[in-house]
Amino acid sequence: MMKVNGATHIGLVRESNQDAFFYDVKDKDSAIAIVCDGMGGANGGNVASAIAVKTLKERLEESTGENGKPEYLLASVMAAANVEIYDTAQSRPELDGMGTTVVAVLIRGSVAYVSHVGDSRLYLFRDGSLQAVTRDHSVVQEMIEKGQITEEQAKTHPRKHFITRALGVSHDENGEFDTLDLQNGDRLLLCTDGLTNMADRQVVENILTDSSIEDAVPALIQAALDRGGTDNVTVVLVDIDGI
Ligand code: CA
């Protein structure tokens, strides 16, 4: 039986938590997991991430069991969330410019269908090591790919928060799609940059190696807090079993 657990924490510095998440296990081999990190203004970020989670959750839950191709389903729900956020921002000046990252995972059978925008990430933990499934839409990711900075330097780079794609900031955004073949024993980690900029890869791997799903989620959040907790931190962990 698949298991999912998740949590969010405001961190030690921020005055509001602009992250949002949702997860649900529908049956033994069907699940949904979503993590968002909002941005823009005093309240805009909270509104954008909340709209994204609500829209994705409702539309993905409604569609479970349909035979539609997951690629088209995810693109259409991401586009719907994008328009919802964009239109809300247009109609309320105080929310102008708000947006959100998203990483959304739809598990059907032995495949994870993934869509993401921005720098919230999906990792696969298999055989004791963590592999990135998503690639950030961010300025520092582009700099890494050009060989200008290392992954370690990216974590503390002054432009580390600059993302190049987000939901809600333009008319057109429906996410980047990926698929991942699953094996029993895999762990999927969805998280915001409040985890990845704080906790070292080795620390995350150690927690995922040693801890049950119930213990791993609070341990990951604590690892981010122990290293400063300068951002909101959100994790959702999926244990693949019985697929
Ligand atoms: Ca963040």
Side-chain angles (χ1 to χ4, degrees):
M1 182 72 187
M2 248 188 313
K3 279 190 184 173
V4 192
N5 188 21
T8 189
H9 195 288
I10 191 171
L12 303 176
V13 174
R14 298 286 173 93
E15 289 178 352
S16 67
N17 190 345
Q18 304 199 329
D19 289 358
F21 71 99
F22 173 77
Y23 59 83
D24 189 25
V25 179
K26 298 299 288 184
D27 52 51
K28 72 175 182 53
D29 60 359
S30 173
I32 298 167
I34 304 164
V35 164
C36 298
D37 180 349
M39 59 184 193
N43 297 307
N46 306 23
V47 175
S49 60
I51 292 172
V53 164
K54 180 171 184 288
T55 307
L56 266 66
K57 163 185 180 296
E58 287 175 359
R59 295 189 179 228
L60 289 174
E61 297 249 77
E62 277 168 14
S63 71
T64 304
E66 270 181 28
N67 294 321
K69 273 195 170 179
E71 180 169 5
Y72 301 138
L73 172 63
L74 277 171
S76 78
V77 299
M78 291 287 267
N82 182 64
V83 166
E84 196 71 33
I85 298 163
Y86 187 79
D87 287 351
T88 305
Q90 296 297 305
S91 65
R92 293 169 59 186
E94 76 278 16
L95 300 177
D96 185 35
M98 72 173 174
T100 186
T101 72
V102 180
V103 56
V105 179
L106 183 61
I107 296 169
R108 286 188 177 173
S110 60
V111 182
Y113 301 94
V114 186
S115 184
H116 87 287
V117 180
D119 63 359
S120 294
R121 295 182 184 169
L122 173 65
Y123 287 96
L124 168 65
F125 182 73
R126 179 183 287 172
D127 300 329
S129 81
L130 205 56
Q131 310 162 33
V133 177
T134 52
R135 207 184 54 186
D136 292 353
H137 302 130
S138 70
V139 169
V140 291
Q141 178 64 33
E142 290 176 359
M143 294 172 78
I144 291 168
E145 286 169 19
K146 287 179 189 157
Q148 294 167 341
I149 57 169
T150 65
E151 279 190 34
E152 276 312 300
Q153 288 170 326
K155 289 185 176 189
T156 53
H157 195 278
R159 299 176 78 192
K160 69 181 177 185
H161 295 300
F162 288 37
I163 56 175
T164 53
R165 289 171 67 178
L167 279 197
V169 296
S170 71
H171 281 294
D172 268 337
E173 180 56 77
N174 59 12
E176 179 178 343
F177 181 75
D178 295 282
T179 62
L180 176 66
D181 290 324
L182 300 171
Q183 301 174 5
N184 287 320
D186 285 348
R187 303 188 113 174
L188 302 181
L189 172 65
L190 294 81
C191 60
T192 57
D193 65 341
L195 179 72
T196 45
N197 285 331
M198 291 286 132
D200 293 336
R201 168 182 292 262
Q202 188 63 55
V203 170
V204 174
E205 287 180 341
N206 289 347
I207 290 169
L208 293 177
T209 300
D210 293 340
S211 309
S212 69
I213 195 164
E214 291 79 11
D215 294 340
V217 167
L220 289 167
I221 289 187
Q222 191 58 48
L225 301 179
D226 289 346
R227 282 155 191 80
T230 58
D231 196 358
N232 309 143
V233 53
T234 302
V235 299
V236 172
L237 187 61
V238 185
D239 276 0
I240 304 298
D241 190 21
I243 55 170

